[in-house]
Amino acid sequence: MRLYLASTSPARLMLLRQAGIEPVVIPSSVDEDAVIEARLAEGPLEPSEYVQLLARAKALAVADAPDPRTGEPLDGLVLGGDSMFEIGGRMLGKPHEPHVARERWLAQRGQTGTLWSGHWLVDRRDGSDASGDGVGSTASASVTFADDLDDVEIDAYVASGEPLHVAGAFTIDSLGAPFIDRIEGDPSTVVGLSLPALRRLVRGFGVGWPELWNRA
């Protein structure tokens, strides 16, 4: 069973590989800001709705694309994902700029926030569209930052470049790990993809999780 990943996230790819899955990566061309803006015209979004909306948009943008290896219709399951960090009533994506990442770390040390991960799975086995738009789920986990983190450590972490391109400006599986005191919930959710949530979605299509294993 082939899994197509509608994302260029190194963290999601790493998680899938560690779980025995080598997905076919097909980047989506979704304009995330436009998707969110259109939805906000209908009313405010909860964090869980935010990540679910973007995960769905990414999966559907790729679901009817050709397989990049063969040019033929996709034959497998298509996964879209998105993550967002919520702290102090604010939803935070990737900071992109060093000064933004630094400001966030100064504000969040010693604090606890919630990492939300949205997942959307579309069935395209044999090029089928019988499953329609697919199914989704959202997972969350709380993250508590060290309260004794000093400015020198923050500046060094920001200078590493790692926090600039991840939701919430932190990681738990690389340089940022020593600055995290506690996680409550599934750790893979914090990395960017809840493997237990994905397993349940896959099983909902009648596919056993081991059927996705394709790495030696």
Side-chain angles (χ1 to χ4, degrees), residues 12-211:
R12 293 190 185 103
L13 179 59
M14 175 199 70
L15 280 170
L16 290 171
R17 284 175 169 170
Q18 290 176 343
I21 301 167
E22 184 66 46
V24 176
V25 176
I26 308 179
S28 71
S29 57
V30 170
D31 184 336
E32 298 185 20
D33 291 338
V35 171
I36 293 300
E37 184 177 349
R39 172 57 182 81
L40 286 175
E42 303 173 9
L45 278 170
E46 294 296 325
S48 59
E49 296 173 313
Y50 190 106
V51 294
Q52 190 79 298
L53 177 66
L54 290 179
R56 180 179 183 273
K58 293 174 185 179
L60 292 179
V62 165
D64 295 320
D67 189 313
R69 304 165 304 160
T70 65
E72 299 295 324
L74 302 187
D75 183 8
L77 304 177
V78 183
L79 172 65
D82 191 73
S83 296
M84 183 67 59
F85 188 59
E86 179 191 16
I87 188 168
R90 299 175 60 205
M91 291 192 294
L92 305 175
K94 303 171 184 177
H96 297 296
E97 299 294 335
H99 73 277
V100 177
R102 186 176 191 275
E103 289 172 359
R104 291 187 185 177
W105 269 95
L106 289 173
Q108 66 195 23
R109 60 181 164 188
Q111 303 299 310
T112 298
T114 302
L115 198 294
W116 297 87
S117 283
H119 316 78
W120 198 267
L121 196 66
V122 181
D123 188 353
R124 285 296 183 267
R125 283 174 284 183
D126 299 318
S128 170
D129 62 358
S131 65
D133 288 349
V135 294
S137 68
T138 304
S140 65
S142 69
V143 180
T144 300
F145 300 95
D147 59 6
D148 62 348
L149 189 61
D150 60 40
D151 290 5
V152 173
E153 290 174 308
I154 290 175
D155 288 342
Y157 185 46
V158 172
S160 75
E162 180 180 276
L164 304 186
H165 306 293
V166 289
F170 70 93
T171 67
I172 65 166
D173 57 339
S174 191
L175 298 180
F179 308 139
I180 308 297
D181 271 352
R182 184 171 66 257
I183 295 171
E184 296 181 11
D186 165 35
S188 68
T189 296
V190 183
V191 178
L193 168 67
S194 171
L195 293 172
L198 176 58
R199 171 180 167 270
R200 295 185 184 97
L201 290 176
V202 168
R203 289 183 58 167
F205 282 132
V207 177
W209 182 254
E211 293 181 57

